[in-house]
Amino acid sequence: MSGSAEASGDRSIAAAGSIRQALTGDGAVAYYTEKSLTLPPEALELPPQAPPNMVSLPERTGLFIGRQPELARLDEAFEDAGGVVVQAVHGLGGIGKSTLAAKWAAGRTRSYNPVWWITAETPDDLEAGLADLAVALQPTLRDVLSRKARSERAVRWLAEHEGWLLVLDNVSDPADVRPLLGRTTGGRFLITTRRASGWQGIAEPLSLDVLELPQAVELFEQIHGAPAEGIEELCVELGCLPLAVEQAAAYCAEARITPRAYQNLLGRYPERVLASTAEGGDGEQTIARVWRVTMDRLADTPAAARILRVIAWWAPDGIPRAYLESLGDEPDITEALRRLAAHSMISLREDGTISVHRLVQAVARAGEGRAEGREEAIRVLLDLGPQSLGSHAWAAQAESLIEHHGEDEKLPPDFAILVLSAAMTRGAPFDLAMSLSEAAAARSEKSMRMRRATDLVRGRLVAAYEWIHGDRQRAVAQLRMNVSTSRRVYGRNAPQTIDERTELAIKQAQIGLLHTGMSLATKNARRAERALGGDAAETLRAKGAVGEAWRLKAQSDAQRYAGRAAGEIERLLADAVRSGGESSGPALQLLWALVDVREAAGDLAGAVRAAEECVEKHPVPTDGFDVLGLQARHRIVLLHWKAEELQRARELAAPLLAELEEAFPEGDKRGGPLRDALTPILTPTDDT
């Protein structure tokens, strides 16, 4: 300090020269410091142009595969020379947005200057990237201006110049970049983002999908370094998602495991496998990490996570949007779907269905709430009602759910019933459904609460073996098992056991074991009458099985059995009429059997009378078509034709054909055979 000064008086200050230290009258000391800043002259003006060949791009193009249509789209979008051009490449995390942007930008370094890459996941990231651009434009400003000031300087430079290209990578929210885009109108922006929406008025969106299977295989082989068996199957399991393929290939090469071994690990430990990367890889760029970040952003929409946990168990495509209505009120579900789609976690299709990547499903199934999500996925299917049961969409979700069934997880019997119903409706083999249904039935037998469902499952299994596979022997074997189980669980003379024996007797007779079927049916009917009484529904069904066995015997050898069969069925019919009336199900069933027996015996007039009784006595539905009546009248026409009563057959056939065409429109398989059988009757030939 130059000079000197002395302070006197209360709290007075003495100063001399340049103030560095102040002394008060009571001896207090205060220090004052200052720092002078001298800006270089160039800081006062923006640089007139960027340094030549100013390029900053990540090393992401060495393993670039395919994407020619998308590259061409970008070429076309950036052809216009005037005004700002903004393209937003969006898609699921790991789908290759950044790699595509880097590849395209690397090929444009002679057309634009600078070509600059900025990670823009947050506003803070964007500011830092712009500040780095300002330093690249004027290196002398590195330690002179604050980061905020450097960022602002970069924006000013971009606003006053043309011919530059900025890549804004991984933008989370369009609002974060909107101010920058609004101020800079002379260059080009290429944006990558998981946000599929929100770009109206500021950017042209370009949706990016997964690789084609051959391209995914090629990418795997390039990284893995050698061909290996199972690559194609693994790529399918990975959904051809580029990041997942890269991750898997590098891991297989480093761990010295086969693609099939990796696929096995993925099936058992999806979350852990998808979180693993090879040594030297970017731990932040793994499938599990990328999607976890997205779900963290959706934490304020709880229904979003709930929806993902449910659809994780269903098919990846074709999920009806209406299936999710029961998960919450309409505004919450709509908002959750909107946000999931906006962040590319799902796709909302124009046909009202939802698609989700299979790896998103795998991670969701492996995360917290696995059991709750699975139970809710089952509950939703069970609650959808008869209008959905058996539909292609319903069956697809059910099939997917049981494919992901763990050996230690119980499959509710009531769900097994619906799965088998769907399988039979679709008319396609469904071995896994049946095996799981068998296991579900076996596990639930000891629970009184579940026994009724178990019985239904076992009954459905019989039908599935016969209708889907055409394997009547296996159906009979299942029926024998059902009888044994029912006898053990309910008792020898219980109604359930009586019914199981009835079904077994009928099926044995139908597959040609006529003597065995007849013997079992007769003994079972006697047992039922003693144990349950002659009017019990189970007894009447058991007697109906005896009638069915006689019908089949008469058709197998009319000369030997038809006469006796007619008498036995008439006796059984009289019992059924006394117990339940002429219009009861057992009575009509036996009357219909009598039609067959009399026809087999050559008594066509008697067969016509029995068929006419069926038409007269069966209950006519109050709504819909009288299908049973149509079938009975159709049989009457054919019997008259067989008896060479041609005129009568034609008189009955003409109105019947008109009713059939109304009941079964063209293309309805049920009506085709009936109409075809009437055609020769209504088309007279020289012979007739």
Side-chain angles (χ1 to χ4, degrees):
M1 177 183 296
S2 61
S4 62
E6 182 178 344
S8 62
D10 187 26
R11 308 294 291 176
S12 62
I13 296 177
S18 179
I19 300 175
R20 290 289 182 270
Q21 175 178 301
L23 304 175
T24 65
D26 56 5
V29 180
Y31 293 92
Y32 173 80
T33 61
E34 67 180 20
K35 180 180 179 181
S36 62
L37 178 63
T38 303
L39 296 176
E42 59 267 28
L44 303 177
E45 296 181 1
L46 296 173
Q49 61 186 20
N53 302 318
M54 185 175 157
V55 177
S56 174
L57 292 173
E59 295 293 332
R60 291 177 181 248
T61 60
L63 292 171
F64 190 83
I65 301 291
R67 304 298 198 191
Q68 299 310 312
E70 290 83 0
L71 291 172
R73 283 272 306 274
L74 291 176
D75 287 343
E76 182 181 353
F78 284 93
E79 278 180 358
D80 188 5
V84 68
V85 176
V86 186
Q87 280 281 311
V89 179
H90 66 86
L92 180 66
I95 210 162
K97 304 178 294 294
S98 299
T99 302
L100 175 71
K103 176 67 175 179
W104 187 85
R108 300 298 175 275
T109 56
R110 294 185 179 181
S111 303
Y112 302 101
N113 191 47
V115 175
W116 201 258
W117 185 280
I118 295 177
T119 299
E121 188 169 358
T122 66
D124 194 60
D125 292 337
L126 178 60
E127 181 181 278
L130 289 169
D132 290 342
L133 172 61
V135 171
L137 289 166
Q138 290 178 288
T140 57
L141 300 183
R142 180 181 301 276
D143 299 319
V144 174
L145 300 179
S146 67
R147 189 179 79 174
K148 186 175 183 64
R150 295 198 305 273
S151 173
E152 172 61 23
R153 192 171 182 82
V155 175
R156 286 177 51 206
W157 187 92
L158 294 171
E160 295 182 11
H161 293 79
E162 298 180 352
W164 45 263
L165 171 65
L166 249 62
V167 182
L168 305 180
D169 185 44
N170 203 24
V171 174
S172 300
D173 189 338
D176 294 342
V177 298
R178 188 183 293 270
L180 172 63
L181 302 181
R183 292 181 59 187
T184 52
T185 58
R188 302 289 188 266
F189 286 99
L190 179 56
I191 296 171
T192 73
T193 179
R194 295 173 210 162
R195 287 290 297 270
S197 59
W199 300 103
Q200 299 88 340
I202 60 174
E204 184 69 25
L206 170 61
S207 177
L208 195 61
D209 206 344
V210 296
L211 294 172
E212 297 292 333
L213 180 57
Q215 296 170 346
V217 171
E218 182 182 351
L219 177 61
F220 190 101
E221 289 176 343
Q222 283 196 19
I223 299 171
H224 189 256
E229 290 203 9
I231 291 178
E232 185 169 318
E233 292 86 346
L234 176 56
C235 288
V236 170
E237 184 67 23
L238 296 172
C240 296
L241 190 71
L243 179 57
V245 173
E246 293 178 21
Q247 196 172 320
Y251 193 91
C252 286
E254 197 166 74
R256 294 291 191 271
I257 62 174
T258 65
R260 287 201 175 97
Y262 185 92
Q263 187 173 349
N264 185 40
L265 280 172
L266 180 63
R268 289 184 293 158
Y269 312 105
E271 191 170 43
R272 290 171 61 181
V273 171
L274 294 175
S276 302
T277 186
E279 294 299 315
D282 186 352
E284 296 297 304
Q285 291 298 314
T286 64
I287 292 297
R289 166 66 179 165
V290 166
W291 293 342
R292 194 175 300 115
V293 169
T294 300
M295 290 311 298
D296 287 345
R297 294 190 184 124
L298 297 173
D300 58 345
T301 308
R306 186 181 184 188
I307 287 172
L308 276 187
R309 284 196 299 269
V310 169
I311 65 175
W313 296 95
W314 293 348
D317 298 299
I319 300 172
R321 187 165 174 165
Y323 281 18
L324 303 175
E325 291 176 355
S326 65
L327 298 183
D329 60 34
E330 186 176 358
D332 285 347
I333 297 303
T334 302
E335 173 65 6
L337 291 174
R338 180 194 71 79
R339 295 205 67 200
L340 284 167
H343 286 270
S344 300
M345 296 299 283
I346 63 172
S347 296
L348 300 176
R349 307 299 185 188
E350 292 183 0
D351 63 357
T353 64
I354 299 169
S355 296
V356 56
H357 195 278
R358 62 179 66 242
L359 288 187
V360 173
Q361 292 179 300
V363 172
R365 285 195 303 271
E368 292 183 6
R370 169 187 168 86
E372 293 83 354
R374 182 177 178 276
E375 289 174 6
E376 194 154 36
I378 292 175
R379 179 193 61 76
V380 169
L381 294 183
L382 292 176
D383 290 347
L384 282 171
Q387 70 276 11
S388 298
L389 174 60
S391 69
H392 179 80
W394 191 97
Q397 315 319 319
E399 185 172 1
S400 177
L401 201 152
I402 64 171
E403 284 176 355
H404 299 300
H405 168 79
E407 292 183 0
D408 58 338
E409 295 173 311
K410 292 183 179 180
L411 187 68
D414 49 357
F415 179 70
I417 296 168
L418 298 187
V419 168
L420 287 168
S421 298
M424 288 184 283
T425 302
R426 281 169 46 150
F430 213 175
D431 291 337
L432 182 57
M434 287 189 284
S435 65
L436 288 175
S437 297
E438 288 171 345
R443 281 195 296 263
S444 62
E445 281 171 5
K446 296 179 181 179
S447 169
M448 285 296 294
R449 184 176 60 85
M450 304 302 289
R451 281 181 186 170
R452 181 56 183 157
T454 302
D455 295 341
L456 291 172
V457 171
R458 292 195 181 284
R460 289 288 186 174
L461 284 169
V462 173
Y465 293 140
E466 182 173 4
W467 295 355
I468 297 177
H469 288 280
D471 189 347
R472 286 187 164 186
Q473 296 290 344
R474 193 174 179 186
V476 167
Q478 179 64 51
L479 280 168
R480 289 195 182 102
M481 185 185 302
N482 292 358
V483 170
S484 176
T485 300
S486 186
R487 187 170 59 238
R488 185 179 67 252
V489 173
Y490 299 109
R492 183 179 296 273
N493 296 326
Q496 296 91 335
T497 308
I498 298 291
D499 274 342
E500 294 289 2
R501 287 200 197 94
T502 297
E503 292 297 322
L504 176 58
I506 291 173
K507 199 63 62 182
Q508 285 175 328
Q510 287 176 344
I511 67 171
L513 300 175
L514 293 172
H515 178 74
T516 303
M518 175 67 78
S519 176
L520 177 60
T522 303
K523 292 177 181 177
N524 190 49
R526 291 171 182 165
R527 182 186 295 273
E529 193 157 19
R530 288 196 305 269
L532 306 176
D535 294 338
E538 293 81 8
T539 301
L540 294 174
R541 285 194 289 269
K543 290 181 176 180
V546 176
E548 175 66 5
W550 277 115
R551 182 186 74 84
L552 292 169
K553 291 190 79 168
Q555 289 185 326
S556 70
D557 189 341
Q559 187 173 0
R560 185 177 180 184
Y561 295 116
R564 184 179 177 187
E568 292 290 342
I569 291 175
E570 287 172 350
R571 181 180 62 79
L572 292 168
L573 176 59
D575 288 345
V577 169
R578 281 195 301 271
S579 296
E582 294 181 336
S583 298
S584 65
L588 290 174
Q589 180 185 0
L590 287 164
L591 188 57
W592 193 253
L594 192 59
V595 175
D596 286 345
V597 170
R598 286 177 174 169
E599 182 182 8
D603 181 9
L604 299 180
V608 168
R609 288 195 300 272
E612 288 174 340
E613 282 190 63
C614 284
V615 173
E616 178 186 348
K617 295 175 180 177
H618 87 279
V620 178
T622 56
D623 56 350
F625 289 103
D626 180 12
V627 176
L628 180 60
L630 288 174
Q631 291 173 332
R633 289 164 56 202
H634 186 273
R635 183 71 176 278
I636 292 170
V637 170
L638 297 183
L639 288 169
H640 280 298
W641 185 258
K642 187 174 181 179
E644 298 186 352
E645 298 170 356
L646 309 185
Q647 185 61 35
R648 181 57 178 161
R650 290 179 182 133
E651 289 174 357
L652 297 174
L656 179 60
L657 182 60
E659 289 185 54
L660 286 172
E661 289 175 345
E662 183 181 1
F664 305 110
E666 192 69 32
D668 190 322
K669 295 180 179 179
R670 295 174 301 170
L674 297 177
R675 287 193 297 265
D676 293 345
L678 296 179
T679 301
I681 297 175
L682 293 171
T683 310
T685 65
D686 293 340
D687 295 334
T688 60

